[in-house]
Amino acid sequence: MKNAIVSNINKKSRKFNDSSYYEKEIIGDYFLLPFRFHKINSEKEVLVNEVGDFVMLPIGSAQKIIERKISRTDDEELYFDLISNFFISEESIPTLLTVLEARYRTKKSFLEDFTALHIFVISLRCEHTCHYCQVSRVTEDKEAFDMSRINIEEGIKIMMKSPNNHVTMEFQGGEALLAFENIKYAVRLAKEAALENQKHITFVICTNMAPLTDEMLPFLKEYNIMISTSLDGPDYVHNKNRHRPQQNSYEVTIAGLEKCRKELGEENISALLTTTNLSLQYSHEIVDEYVERKFRNIFLRPISPYGFATHNEKKNKYQTEKFLEFYKTAFERILDHNRKGYFIREDYATVILKKILTPFPVGYVDLQSPAGMINNVIVFNYDGKIYASDEARMLAEMKDFTFQLGILGESSYNDIFYGHKAMEIAETWTNEALAGCSDCAFQQYCGADPVLNHATQGNMYGYRPASVFCQKNMEIIRYLFELMEDKAIEKIFRSWITGHSE
């Protein structure tokens, strides 16, 4: 018994140490403001405050600041950098606190306008059989899988109730152009409704270009419709990723691309890449294809874990580390083209860089907090069901209706946007309130994704240490900070933000 008591005494106590343990020599007479920090490499760490301002400092600087070992006289330049960027304050309540408040409101101002993007899944029909397709496409003759005109009308009514004065109507599929007559009906009706409701409306059609005909072009031009297509790289990559019976998907896409550029203008045409296992082998070739086709932007996008993309693991499943390796290799190629005088930016990095280098919000759905779903985007499926995001619609194609918000013609605006389901999602869509995000230095540059959490981890809240979303974003953001140590690269990054080379 005595030995047991001695043994317990020798165990380390979990009680607080005596107060003398915490008495440190204080050099700086200042107050700490909220900030977070993260190691960038073996030499540097970044400190980020509540509005995304940052300072890059030698390793150990955060500890010195926290322990108040920064002196106004001995560290004058750093001291006043920390003061001016709201990391420390000489008063318990900073004199310019109202400035910080205004900047925080600006960062979150995307919430003021509410939903802008309204996606209409106009048809599930498609003549491609892409192995990574994220929706359950059907063959061309299945007109029962087209959106009815009643659902088109009801969707437009909902869109016109948005408090946002600038709305986008995006047509997706399947292959949207296979339902071109319904697109024409929807565009004309929406244009008329926008005039009546004093809204500015933008139209986008997502298409693989295969059904495009010369007869369609005058209508597309009349309504200034933007075209978004898919380009996965050179022919030997694109044709394998995006299969057609004729084995000519690449040729059809390029022909349609050039035709649309000529008739609609280059500014109205964009392309999107999806990275498969095959793509991982051709990072330079994919970037070079975009340059050869005179694109000024490329989006290095991984496969999403939804729909048919989950059925072919050999072609579509890879570790996040493999994608990040591909991303960095391709990114270096993009930078190399910029160094040689050809302006081309990587879209995902550009969104993050805008959040890092400017005081303004961005409209990209996946990097918002609160999340862009519902707040920025809503999806009307061909069958009238309404989803919180495009990924939520893809999840529904796997018979998981967790993120269904309502039904066109049955659910009111308030039911859809403020109903029980919206409130449930809202509990997990703010990264400031999520464990693992709340104390992350990159919080202000990242977002929240309840749909991805649900799809990959089984619940909307998610678990950050095992999150592919977290793993990808943290490394890309760290990588961008590391690259910005090179002032020549920072200059390139700033040109991406402004949209033109210097």
Side-chain angles (χ1 to χ4, degrees):
M1 184 67 174
K2 182 179 178 181
N3 288 338
I5 294 172
V6 171
S7 176
N8 286 333
I9 291 173
N10 289 333
K11 286 183 178 179
K12 290 185 177 180
S13 172
R14 297 189 65 180
K15 295 180 180 179
F16 282 106
N17 292 300
D18 185 80
S19 61
S20 61
Y21 177 85
Y22 300 98
E23 292 175 0
K24 307 264 187 188
E25 181 185 4
I26 295 177
I27 298 172
D29 184 18
Y30 54 80
F31 296 87
L32 296 175
L33 297 177
F35 70 84
R36 303 165 183 84
F37 55 94
H38 189 87
K39 182 178 179 181
I40 297 302
N41 52 38
S42 60
E43 297 179 355
K44 291 295 181 73
E45 61 189 14
V46 64
L47 281 62
V48 184
N49 70 8
E50 288 292 271
V51 294
D53 290 339
F54 71 93
V55 288
M56 289 275 284
L57 299 171
I59 291 288
S61 297
Q63 183 173 349
K64 289 175 65 178
I65 294 166
I66 293 165
E67 293 179 350
R68 292 176 175 80
K69 291 184 177 179
I70 301 297
S71 166
R72 180 171 181 169
T73 53
D74 297 336
D75 309 286
E76 183 178 11
E77 184 177 352
L78 173 59
Y79 182 88
F80 284 106
D81 275 348
L82 296 172
I83 289 283
S84 62
N85 286 293
F86 295 101
F87 287 92
I88 63 175
S89 172
E90 293 180 328
E91 303 89 19
S92 58
I93 300 177
T95 305
L96 298 178
L97 183 61
T98 54
V99 174
L100 192 64
E101 292 170 352
R103 294 188 60 191
Y104 191 84
R105 284 196 298 271
T106 299
K107 283 285 188 180
K108 300 296 184 181
S109 61
F110 65 89
L111 293 169
E112 295 176 0
D113 296 326
F114 208 46
T115 316
L117 177 59
H118 297 75
I119 296 175
F120 287 69
V121 183
I122 202 72
S123 176
L124 281 192
R125 291 186 287 147
C126 190
E127 36 61 62
H128 274 60
T129 53
C130 308
H131 61 75
Y132 61 57
C133 185
Q134 293 157 354
V135 296
S136 299
R137 72 248 166 182
V138 294
T139 54
E140 293 181 63
D141 58 343
K142 307 285 187 178
E143 292 189 12
F145 291 90
D146 288 357
M147 179 178 271
S148 70
R149 296 203 169 182
I150 292 175
N151 282 336
I152 290 172
E153 294 162 5
E154 293 296 328
I156 291 172
K157 289 178 184 177
I158 295 293
M159 180 168 61
M160 290 301 125
K161 289 181 180 179
S162 172
N164 200 318
N165 290 324
H166 292 76
V167 295
T168 297
M169 187 179 197
E170 181 175 299
F171 298 100
Q172 289 193 15
E175 168 49 52
L177 287 182
L178 291 176
F180 189 64
E181 289 303 313
N182 276 353
I183 288 178
K184 291 198 296 184
Y185 176 79
V187 167
R188 287 169 177 151
L189 190 63
K191 186 70 174 180
E192 183 179 330
L195 290 172
E196 291 176 0
N197 289 274
Q198 298 181 320
K199 291 185 184 295
H200 179 273
I201 188 166
T202 300
F203 298 105
V204 180
I205 296 177
C206 299
T207 173
N208 59 39
M209 295 290 192
L212 181 72
T213 65
D214 291 341
E215 290 71 28
M216 294 177 181
L217 293 171
F219 180 84
L220 301 178
K221 187 172 184 178
E222 178 184 356
Y223 287 91
N224 196 33
I225 297 174
M226 302 177 71
I227 297 295
S228 176
T229 191
S230 295
L231 181 61
D232 283 0
D235 55 358
Y236 50 87
V237 177
H238 187 95
N239 281 337
K240 285 188 178 294
N241 280 355
R242 302 184 59 79
H243 182 262
R244 294 186 84 220
Q246 302 88 340
Q247 298 292 323
N248 65 344
S249 177
Y250 173 84
E251 291 75 14
V252 167
T253 297
I254 297 304
L257 175 66
E258 296 307 319
K259 187 178 294 186
C260 285
R261 278 178 167 170
K262 181 179 178 180
E263 297 297 325
L264 308 179
E266 289 192 17
E267 68 281 0
N268 286 328
I269 314 300
S270 63
L272 195 61
L273 160 74
T274 300
T275 305
T276 63
N277 263 317
L278 175 65
S279 308
L280 297 177
Q281 306 170 40
Y282 297 103
S283 57
H284 285 189
E285 292 84 353
I286 290 169
V287 172
D288 291 349
E289 176 69 24
Y290 272 73
V291 172
E292 184 178 344
R293 295 299 161 190
K294 297 182 172 56
F295 281 104
R296 297 294 180 174
N297 64 301
I298 181 172
F299 188 166
L300 301 175
R301 185 180 68 141
I303 281 180
S304 299
Y306 310 103
F308 283 5
T310 63
H311 296 167
N312 195 329
E313 292 194 358
K314 184 177 179 180
K315 292 182 178 180
N316 299 330
K317 188 172 183 178
Y318 44 78
Q319 292 180 332
T320 304
E321 291 92 340
K322 291 290 186 183
F323 171 76
L324 289 169
E325 182 181 331
F326 163 83
Y327 182 92
K328 292 176 184 179
T329 306
F331 200 88
E332 288 294 335
R333 189 70 165 186
I334 294 166
L335 289 176
D336 189 49
H337 281 292
N338 279 270
R339 293 186 188 101
K340 292 176 180 177
Y342 185 85
F343 175 85
I344 180 170
R345 64 188 179 194
E346 200 282 309
D347 284 342
Y348 198 71
T350 302
V351 171
I352 295 171
L353 289 167
K354 284 180 179 178
K355 301 187 82 169
I356 292 174
L357 298 173
T358 80
F360 306 111
V362 298
Y364 183 66
V365 171
D366 292 355
L367 290 174
Q368 289 181 341
S369 176
M373 55 193 303
I374 302 178
N375 294 302
N376 193 265
V377 62
I378 199 82
V379 178
F380 306 126
N381 205 19
Y382 76 98
D383 57 3
K385 292 176 181 176
I386 305 167
Y387 297 102
S389 69
D390 199 27
E391 290 75 18
R393 187 261 299 202
M394 296 171 189
L395 202 61
E397 296 297 338
M398 302 167 68
K399 308 304 179 186
D400 185 339
F401 302 97
T402 301
F403 296 90
Q404 182 180 333
L405 301 176
I407 299 175
L408 288 171
E410 298 181 19
S411 305
S412 70
Y413 185 89
N414 282 348
D415 290 338
I416 297 164
F417 291 94
Y418 304 107
H420 171 74
K421 180 58 68 173
M423 294 301 101
E424 179 187 352
I425 298 169
E427 292 180 2
T428 58
W429 70 11
T430 305
N431 66 11
E432 289 91 340
L434 297 177
C437 293
S438 61
D439 58 357
C440 178
F442 299 152
Q443 177 203 104
Q444 289 296 319
Y445 314 132
C446 197
D449 196 338
V451 180
L452 185 62
N453 291 340
H454 175 82
T456 59
Q457 298 186 314
N459 65 79
M460 294 186 199
Y461 193 96
Y463 177 61
R464 255 48 66 194
S467 167
V468 294
F469 180 82
C470 186
Q471 183 182 359
K472 180 191 73 171
N473 287 339
M474 285 193 69
E475 178 55 22
I476 289 177
I477 296 169
R478 187 210 62 80
Y479 175 63
L480 294 176
F481 271 114
E482 185 173 46
L483 289 175
M484 276 195 289
E485 284 284 276
D486 185 329
K487 295 304 177 184
I489 293 179
E490 183 183 344
K491 186 177 180 181
I492 291 172
F493 286 170
R494 290 188 181 278
S495 76
W496 291 2
I497 292 171
T498 59
H500 55 80
S501 57
E502 297 182 356

